[in-house]
Amino acid sequence: MKNDFILVINGHPDSQSFCSALSDAYAKGALEHGARIRVIDLSRLSFDPNLKYGYRQRTELEPELTEAQELIRQAGHLVFVYPTWWGAMPAILKGFIDRVFLPGFAFKYRDNSPLWDKLLIGRTAHLIVTMDTPVWYNRWIYKRAGIQVMRRNILQFCGITPVRVTEIGPVKGSSPEQRTKWLKQVGRLGAARK
């Protein structure tokens, strides 16, 4: 049964990253305004990110991934905080999605049909994505390719909608003052439960 809590998933493999600070800022803003929060920090999980057999053969889930599925099942809103590397999410986040968003949990193919059932309907999401590329360049030149994969091909495919996006960048070379502004911006998002 879906509850009204927010699940924040920090998809950066380094626990000392700016994404970790952004995750903390979101969670703090939400908590200070009465939201219930759970956080999954992928840098602290121990799991094999490789879906070794694809969907041909089941790869047993580590206990932390089973718990992640249960948290996703119960959450009303998912917040993914991650950097853009080579135009997309880091390998650890992609591996987490490969291992957790499985058929029977996130979606279900229909027999003798090209259609599928979306099993995570009723949830919303927000992507907070950092990058070293200027945001305008990612939007107009790269067409937000990595964001579109996460939004459309993964989350909306499973029924999670709407999916809001906050792009932060360029982080490389940014001043401490600019980073403080971004942290406050993300804290306000948490306070608004967006």
Side-chain angles (χ1 to χ4, degrees):
M1 180 174 175
K2 184 173 72 69
N3 292 322
D4 189 28
F5 76 84
I6 299 169
L7 178 61
V8 178
I9 300 171
N10 176 9
H12 199 298
D14 180 1
S15 64
Q16 302 300 309
S17 69
F18 187 54
C19 284
S20 291
L22 291 168
S23 295
D24 292 344
Y26 185 98
K28 182 179 179 198
L31 282 170
E32 288 175 352
H33 286 82
R36 294 182 22 209
I37 294 284
R38 294 294 302 266
V39 177
I40 296 175
D41 183 346
L42 297 188
S43 73
R44 301 187 187 282
L45 297 189
S46 179
F47 69 96
D48 182 354
N50 185 21
L51 186 63
K52 187 174 182 178
Y53 306 107
Y55 300 148
R56 178 180 60 81
Q57 178 180 325
R58 180 176 171 81
T59 302
E60 292 301 319
L61 294 177
E62 291 86 347
E64 291 168 314
L65 296 186
T66 301
E67 181 182 358
Q69 281 188 335
E70 189 56 34
L71 290 173
I72 291 166
R73 186 177 284 117
Q74 293 178 13
H77 186 60
L78 308 175
V79 178
F80 291 85
V81 183
Y82 62 93
T84 298
W85 291 348
W86 292 108
M89 68 192 80
I92 194 162
L93 179 54
K94 180 60 166 62
F96 175 82
I97 290 166
D98 285 349
R99 295 288 315 282
V100 170
F101 284 65
L102 295 170
F105 168 73
F107 65 95
K108 182 177 184 241
Y109 291 121
R110 296 179 185 173
D111 292 336
N112 304 313
S113 173
L115 302 177
W116 66 99
D117 295 318
K118 300 175 180 189
L119 301 182
L120 296 179
I121 287 173
R123 288 156 193 82
T124 58
H126 195 132
L127 309 179
I128 300 172
V129 185
T130 65
M131 58 194 72
D132 289 335
T133 302
V135 170
W136 67 266
Y137 196 90
N138 187 55
R139 181 178 299 255
W140 297 109
I141 305 303
Y142 294 144
K143 308 293 186 200
R144 299 171 97 193
I147 290 170
Q148 292 304 328
V149 167
M150 185 68 164
R151 172 193 267 164
R152 182 187 57 229
N153 301 55
I154 298 170
L155 298 177
Q156 290 176 348
F157 181 91
C158 299
I160 300 170
T161 187
V163 179
R164 292 187 172 94
V165 179
T166 299
E167 296 168 275
I168 295 176
V171 174
K172 183 179 179 181
S174 62
S175 66
E177 294 79 16
Q178 179 59 65
R179 290 183 181 219
T180 297
K181 286 180 185 176
W182 284 326
L183 290 168
K184 287 180 180 176
Q185 174 190 1
V186 168
R188 288 191 298 270
L189 292 172
R193 301 180 191 194
K194 292 184 175 178

